[in-house]
Amino acid sequence: MAQSLTSQPRSSALSRHWLAAAFLFLAAIINMLDTTIINLALPAIQTEFAASHNGLQWTLVIYVLTFAAGLLPFGRFGDAFGRRKLFLGGLLGFLIASTACGFAPSIEALILARFFQGLTAAMMMPQVLAILHESFPEDEKAKAIGIFGMVTAMGAMAGPLVGGFLISANFWGLGWRMIFLINLPFGLIALAGAYALVPVSRKAARQAVDWLGSALFAISAIGLLYPVVEGQALGWPIWLFGLLAISLASAIALLRLQYRRATLGQPQLLPVTLLTNARFFGRVGLVMLMFTGIAGPIVVLAMVLQFGLEMSPDRAGLALAAHPLSIMVASILSSRMGSRHLERRVTLGIVSLLTGMIGLHLTVVPGTSLAMIWIPLVMVGAGVGTATVAMYQLVLTEVPQADAGAGSGALQAFQQIGIALGIALVGQVFVGALGDAPDPISYVEALKVALWVPMILFTGLSIVSLKLQKREHGDDAA
């Protein structure tokens, strides 16, 4: 059984914390693996199931949608019922859902299994950052958060490489199905190690839960994202605008509920101390917008490399690997800086993202070499790693330990909402530019049109980040 570590000598407790963190990190890697590994499997899935582009998009978005809708409630549930308990239950459910994905008989069954994958990932992932935030002393916390960024990048890096290899190798005739079944051995190791070593939360007393707030948050997130994903395919019928109105009304109702519960001294889904913290929400909003600009282009590029540049899955995986590899390196370098120059690192990361997107716009052409694709992808990955580690630190400095689950859940929820918006927005621009009878040149040209979305977004974020940096330094000088 796991024990509280507060009574152990500091060096012994810290060593055990790091060993426990290794199993938490392994689970995070598996989650990131499933976020990126499916990209290269889309053509094979489309061929086997005769799936539409919309069906393929839903295999990506349903995971992110349920993940985003569940992160904040499950983060708060971790505060209430125990972070270790929620982590272990989420990881076990994630492995069961992965098995269902691996044996899905149709595109509809795959989408349903991906729904449960996203939900159980939402149960698991907020607990990782919350446990790190609670367990590590201040002088080790920045390093732990930096390593969290690094190992999740390792999962993203392994995605295209492992996915391309597994699909091309076609082990036991399973083809693309192995990209989900590969989760099982590693997930079971993470489950056993976390069960043995992750400490019970210091806050052992059971708390009341804001069930109504949790429902309102889920309705608000889904009501926003469903129309964005399906709007173009459905021709924007009037009821989709009704869903957007319901999303807005639910968000307003959620805010009013949180303030009323605070007045009555009742627990809140998102504590009012965070709701009234302009720095917390400004930084969370910046994370959301940054990932809106990152996710869509990488998903679309995976399709273009295979259908536009006619690469094999393993070669396309090799091309895409430059992106998460550079994320990992940048995360390591950024974490070594601790808490120094956080605002400057955010600005530098966003400018690097803008430069990389412009580079992709210029270099992805028929007959281009891998080296020419790697250069802008390295810039994109370096921007992600540099900015994300710094942004996580900036956000979590505003969160008290008692609300670590809610704070980390909100951070990751809005990050995933940004990812879903990015996949949907860039995907719809790409499909709209692609036309009904695409050839390889059409795929390349459609990518160039779609890349205008992140280029415009990162131009705006660069300007905003520079202004915020100047304001921060002005406040420090005053």
Side-chain angles (χ1 to χ4, degrees):
M1 288 291 293
Q3 303 175 15
S4 175
L5 304 179
T6 54
S7 62
Q8 298 182 18
R10 185 179 186 275
S11 59
S12 173
L14 197 54
S15 298
R16 187 178 172 108
H17 283 323
W18 279 111
L19 187 57
F23 292 104
L24 297 175
F25 292 154
L26 179 58
I29 289 173
I30 296 169
N31 175 58
M32 285 305 301
L33 189 75
D34 264 49
T35 303
T36 60
I37 199 171
I38 194 173
N39 293 349
L40 288 174
L42 293 178
I45 294 170
Q46 184 178 41
T47 300
E48 179 170 340
F49 292 144
S52 65
H53 281 291
N54 197 47
L56 291 179
Q57 182 169 305
W58 267 105
T59 64
L60 298 170
V61 173
I62 194 66
Y63 180 88
V64 177
L65 185 65
T66 52
F67 191 31
L71 275 165
L72 180 53
F74 278 119
R76 200 51 163 161
F77 295 166
D79 292 337
F81 302 128
R83 293 157 192 161
R84 176 179 178 273
K85 185 187 301 182
L86 268 287
F87 172 81
L88 294 173
L91 179 53
L92 178 60
F94 184 83
L95 296 179
I96 294 171
S98 296
T99 305
C101 287
F103 291 104
S106 65
I107 190 67
E108 293 80 12
L110 178 60
I111 291 170
L112 180 62
R114 290 280 287 173
F115 170 88
F116 286 105
Q117 257 198 326
L119 196 64
T120 50
M123 186 176 178
M124 168 179 63
M125 286 302 292
Q127 320 313 327
V128 177
L129 267 180
I131 291 169
L132 296 178
H133 187 52
E134 178 188 46
S135 300
F136 283 88
E138 289 300 324
D139 58 337
E140 292 285 332
K141 192 176 296 184
K143 184 178 179 182
I145 293 171
I147 293 176
F148 174 78
M150 179 193 73
V151 298
T152 52
M154 286 174 61
M157 178 185 69
L161 286 172
V162 174
F165 170 73
L166 291 175
I167 295 165
S168 297
N170 193 25
F171 291 108
W172 304 293
L174 290 170
W176 60 267
R177 297 175 185 276
M178 278 298 294
I179 69 173
F180 297 110
L181 299 178
I182 196 69
N183 291 341
L184 299 181
F186 297 104
L188 290 173
I189 292 170
L191 187 66
Y195 180 81
L197 292 170
V198 170
V200 175
S201 174
R202 293 171 188 157
K203 197 167 187 177
R206 183 185 175 107
Q207 305 173 35
V209 170
D210 182 6
W211 295 106
L212 178 58
S214 300
L216 287 171
F217 178 81
I219 292 169
S220 182
I222 294 170
L224 168 66
L225 293 176
Y226 184 86
V228 172
V229 172
E230 287 286 84
Q232 186 178 47
L234 297 176
W236 286 102
I238 190 66
W239 61 268
L240 284 185
F241 291 97
L243 274 183
L244 290 172
I246 290 172
S247 173
L248 178 60
S250 297
I252 294 171
L254 174 62
L255 291 175
R256 294 182 65 179
L257 176 66
Q258 300 309 287
Y259 281 102
R260 185 163 68 87
R261 291 180 68 91
T263 302
L264 297 174
Q266 298 173 338
Q268 306 110 56
L269 174 70
L270 189 57
V272 168
T273 53
L274 296 180
L275 279 173
T276 55
N277 188 328
R279 286 182 178 229
F280 174 80
F281 264 99
R283 289 162 176 171
V284 166
L286 189 57
V287 170
M288 183 185 76
L289 292 173
M290 190 174 74
F291 278 88
T292 298
I294 295 166
I298 300 301
V299 171
V300 168
L301 183 59
M303 300 286 288
V304 172
L305 292 177
Q306 294 178 80
F307 289 132
L309 302 187
E310 299 179 310
M311 293 184 179
S312 63
D314 53 346
R315 186 171 173 80
L318 183 61
L320 290 173
H323 167 247
L325 179 60
S326 58
I327 293 178
M328 184 178 68
V329 173
S331 296
I332 294 171
L333 296 176
S334 187
S335 65
R336 287 182 176 177
M337 295 184 69
S339 300
R340 299 192 303 275
H341 310 301
L342 292 175
E343 294 88 357
R344 291 180 181 176
R345 283 151 56 189
V346 171
T347 302
L348 178 62
I350 293 173
V351 171
S352 181
L353 281 164
L354 172 60
T355 305
M357 293 298 173
I358 294 172
L360 283 174
H361 188 272
L362 297 174
T363 60
V364 178
V365 295
T368 192
S369 65
L370 280 181
M372 292 303 294
I373 297 173
W374 283 337
I375 292 170
L377 282 177
V378 166
M379 293 297 297
V380 171
V384 175
T386 301
T388 302
V389 171
M391 285 302 305
Y392 273 26
Q393 291 176 244
L394 283 169
V395 171
L396 291 178
T397 56
E398 305 293 333
V399 180
Q401 285 191 1
D403 297 323
S408 62
L411 169 60
Q412 293 178 77
F414 282 98
Q415 176 181 322
Q416 294 302 317
I417 288 172
I419 289 173
L421 288 172
I423 292 173
L425 180 59
V426 175
Q428 289 188 14
V429 172
F430 175 76
V431 171
L434 192 58
D436 296 328
D439 55 26
I441 296 296
S442 299
Y443 275 93
V444 174
E445 292 302 318
L447 174 66
K448 291 184 178 295
V449 173
L451 283 172
W452 279 105
V453 175
M455 286 193 295
I456 292 171
L457 178 60
F458 287 130
T459 298
L461 290 182
S462 297
I463 295 169
V464 170
S465 184
L466 282 168
K467 288 185 176 180
L468 289 175
Q469 181 184 321
K470 290 179 180 179
R471 185 181 301 171
E472 291 282 349
H473 287 298
D475 291 344
D476 291 343

